Amino acid sequence: MSGESLPIPPARSPVLDTSSISSPSFSSSFWDRVSTWANENKAVIYTIAGVAVVVTGAGVVYYLSDSRKDSKTEAADEKRKPSKKERRKAKKEKGQIDSENERKEYSTKLKAVGNKAYGDKSYNEAIELYRKAILCKPDPIFYSNRAACYNALGDWDKVVEDTTAAIALDSEYVKALNRRANAYEHLEKYSEALLDYTASCIIDSFRNDNSAQSVERLLKKVAESKAKAILSGKEKKLPSPTFVTNYLQSFRPKPPPEGLEETAELDEETGPGQLKAGLLGLSKRTGEGFDNAAVSFDKALELGDLGEHEAFAYNMRGTFRYLRGQNNDALEDLSRSVELQPTLTQSFIKRASMHLELGNRDAAANDFEQAMEQNKEDPDIYYHRAQLHFILGEYADAAKDYQKSIDLDKEFIFSHIQLGVTQYKMGSIASSMATFRRCIKNFDKIPDVYNYYGELLLDQQKYQEAIEKFDTAVEMEKQTKPLGMNVLPLINKALALFQWKQDFQEAEKLCQKALIIDPECDIAVATMAQLLLQQGKVTDALQYFERAAELSRTEVEVVNALSYAEATRTQLEVQEKYPQLASRLQGMGAGLGGPTMPR
């Protein structure tokens, strides 16, 4: 995303509405007559962003509110207020004193001289000229041009004041909206800036790249600010069972360490007894089972006396701390694990994944190297290093490591699946499809094969085939894991029905079903939000996006969810503040400033 803002920089040639008029000479008598006329024709006064508006029989005249006036001056003004009789007399004579055409002519000339002063960087002189032009004729261009002067001087409050006056006169004045947005951003009023840039984009049908990039930048800035607040007070708990299951099954299944088998007779009030209890909780693959496992692994280390299982205990506690978002504590546990037992390569691999998530690529690569020094024949090392390459977009290196993992152990289905996905990302569609056909032949009872194959078919818009694969995956999940089924096939089917038939009703039903099975599934919540947004159900969508942010584990995930939420909230504000833009926004398609439907 671009970091450019939209100020009107003083160093460039003036970006103002100009007229090619030669500089006139102004007599003081003219300003005396204008001032007298204004004072004598105050019929109704109201204020728009610090600008006094005088509504008279001849039109509207704006005066800047001058905060520098003292009480004595104001009192004097009150004393000079003409009587009703004098005002009536002045009203009759106003055509003789100052016709509308004369005021308009002078305002045009004043603007031209103001533009010249602005171009010469004589900003204070330009400000005074625009002030006089505004006194003659309330024109949004004059306010916006004066705002440009304040912009050059860095007086952001004044920029907001004048652009607000301009927008009050012309609610679709894009230049004024962009100037005010830029001022709001300098004042760190990011939500207000986001609203103005968004309105500007809608008016311009998102054709202005700078404004669109500003929307994206501010969405991220607002989201990052709110994410810090959410994460600082966020309860550290496990994510959805779907997430935990997918993470755990990314490692090849291994039997329990010797002495911790299910048949082992261990006192639960001992460290080894709690390790055994933790492993039993894991085997259930349910939210309750995972919660119990996390408690047991914590208690095992508290009780101690773990002997040869101490490194394994640190590994497991570190794993669940990582899943709860306690990355620093998790890193300490895994580091202790590799110190106690360097041959437990899984601890190096898990620590590498955490380093990568924290943005420390070199540390992640170093952990993989240390793991290979311990056991270069461990297929999990290559599988997870491939994951690192995949995340970084290094698909050729990822494919090589996935293949190496397969060569070392052909029975691990996820190496095959990820190889097929990587081939697809590389553009080798035929190779990818062939890989998945082999997977179905060799792992025909594994639901994940059908789910991932369905995703690739969906990407190719082969909707019927994709839905058949998702249905197969759902049925297999029901049969093999009735209490802890993976809800991703249900969510993918919902997306397929939406994209194929715009069947929002059935898509929503599938997402609701997924949320009944796994209420903490952030993917299901985010997908539901998008479905609602696509239907224009903006308020409901906002609630789901905010819920997705609450469920997200990492700062990146929270920021992403909040970006959607802020885009949705801004859409609501635009519709409320600029009702004339609401239908235009709907015509462009619901949702703004965020990615398309997730897959």
Side-chain angles (χ1 to χ4, degrees), residues 365-434:
N366 184 56
D367 273 339
F368 283 121
E369 289 298 324
Q370 291 186 72
M372 291 180 69
E373 289 173 6
Q374 296 298 326
N375 182 6
K376 64 180 180 179
E377 300 300 309
D378 183 346
D380 271 350
I381 298 173
Y382 298 95
Y383 175 79
H384 284 274
R385 190 171 70 175
Q387 296 284 72
L388 179 149
H389 289 308
F390 186 92
I391 290 169
L392 296 172
E394 299 165 353
Y395 298 124
D397 290 333
K400 188 185 298 182
D401 273 347
Y402 285 132
Q403 187 59 59
K404 177 66 173 177
S405 179
I406 292 170
D407 292 341
L408 291 170
D409 176 16
K410 292 181 172 59
E411 301 305 313
F412 187 61
I413 180 59
F414 293 103
S415 294
H416 297 273
I417 289 174
Q418 286 300 126
L419 176 61
V421 172
T422 304
Q423 290 168 334
Y424 190 86
K425 286 284 189 180
M426 294 170 69
S428 302
I429 309 300
S431 297
S432 174
M433 296 297 101

Side-chain angles (χ1 to χ4, degrees), residues 251-257 344-346 378 380:
F251 294 89
R252 284 165 171 77
K254 295 180 180 179
L344 188 56
T345 54
Q346 192 183 91
D378 183 346
D380 271 350

Side-chain angles (χ1 to χ4, degrees), residues 575-591:
Q575 291 174 350
E576 181 180 343
K577 192 168 184 178
Y578 303 100
Q580 76 275 17
L581 299 181
S583 59
R584 208 180 303 182
L585 178 61
Q586 290 171 359
M588 297 174 198

Side-chain angles (χ1 to χ4, degrees), residues 211-437:
S211 296
Q213 289 167 2
S214 294
V215 168
E216 291 183 16
R217 184 185 68 253
L218 282 164
L219 278 174
K220 186 167 186 276
K221 190 172 285 187
V222 172
E224 285 175 342
S225 175
K226 292 190 175 183
K228 286 181 171 59
I230 287 176
L231 289 169
S232 64
K234 187 179 176 67
E235 179 188 356
K236 300 297 184 182
K237 64 177 185 177
L238 291 175
S240 72
T242 298
F243 184 97
V244 177
T245 298
N246 287 337
Y247 177 77
L248 294 175
Q249 69 184 13
S250 70
F251 294 89
R252 284 165 171 77
K254 295 180 180 179
E258 187 176 352
L260 298 178
E261 299 89 351
E262 188 174 350
T263 56
E265 295 183 3
L266 296 170
D267 183 351
E268 282 199 6
E269 294 306 312
T270 64
Q274 283 299 309
L275 280 182
K276 176 189 169 184
L279 292 173
L280 287 173
L282 286 183
S283 66
K284 294 178 180 178
R285 293 290 194 263
T286 64
E288 183 181 4
F290 292 139
D291 285 335
N292 291 338
V295 171
S296 293
F297 293 135
D298 284 345
K299 192 172 181 181
L301 281 162
E302 288 174 11
L303 292 170
D305 197 21
L306 295 164
E308 61 182 334
H309 301 309
E310 187 175 2
F312 176 73
Y314 277 109
N315 176 297
M316 296 312 299
R317 187 175 74 172
T319 299
F320 276 83
R321 282 181 164 180
Y322 164 71
L323 290 168
R324 287 194 296 259
Q326 299 169 285
N327 282 344
N328 291 330
D329 291 337
L331 284 172
E332 288 182 10
D333 278 351
L334 292 169
S335 296
R336 180 60 178 152
S337 178
V338 296
E339 288 173 8
L340 291 167
Q341 189 179 336
T343 56
L344 188 56
T345 54
Q346 192 183 91
S347 295
F348 282 112
I349 296 169
K350 289 178 178 177
R351 192 172 69 174
S353 298
M354 292 177 206
H355 281 310
L356 183 61
E357 188 171 292
L358 293 169
N360 196 339
R361 179 180 175 178
D362 291 340
N366 184 56
D367 273 339
F368 283 121
E369 289 298 324
Q370 291 186 72
M372 291 180 69
E373 289 173 6
Q374 296 298 326
N375 182 6
K376 64 180 180 179
E377 300 300 309
D378 183 346
D380 271 350
I381 298 173
Y382 298 95
Y383 175 79
H384 284 274
R385 190 171 70 175
Q387 296 284 72
L388 179 149
H389 289 308
F390 186 92
I391 290 169
L392 296 172
E394 299 165 353
Y395 298 124
D397 290 333
K400 188 185 298 182
D401 273 347
Y402 285 132
Q403 187 59 59
K404 177 66 173 177
S405 179
I406 292 170
D407 292 341
L408 291 170
D409 176 16
K410 292 181 172 59
E411 301 305 313
F412 187 61
I413 180 59
F414 293 103
S415 294
H416 297 273
I417 289 174
Q418 286 300 126
L419 176 61
V421 172
T422 304
Q423 290 168 334
Y424 190 86
K425 286 284 189 180
M426 294 170 69
S428 302
I429 309 300
S431 297
S432 174
M433 296 297 101
T435 297
F436 272 98
R437 285 193 292 271

Side-chain angles (χ1 to χ4, degrees), residues 49-62:
V51 181
V53 183
V54 182
V55 181
T56 74
V60 183
V61 177
Y62 281 61

Side-chain angles (χ1 to χ4, degrees), residues 64-119:
L64 285 186
S65 297
D66 192 345
S67 60
R68 292 171 295 181
K69 276 190 176 182
D70 57 28
S71 58
K72 290 182 180 179
T73 305
E74 290 174 355
D77 286 345
E78 286 296 317
K79 290 178 182 178
R80 288 196 297 270
K81 183 176 180 180
S83 67
K84 290 183 179 180
K85 183 177 179 180
E86 289 173 326
R87 290 201 301 273
R88 281 197 298 269
K89 181 180 178 182
K91 186 174 182 180
K92 290 179 182 178
E93 297 175 352
K94 65 177 172 43
Q96 298 172 5
I97 296 174
D98 181 34
S99 70
E100 184 177 350
N101 287 336
E102 186 181 1
R103 294 195 308 277
K104 183 177 180 181
E105 178 185 350
Y106 271 100
S107 70
T108 302
K109 292 177 180 179
L110 282 161
K111 185 191 78 167
V113 179
N115 291 352
K116 175 71 167 54
Y118 178 90

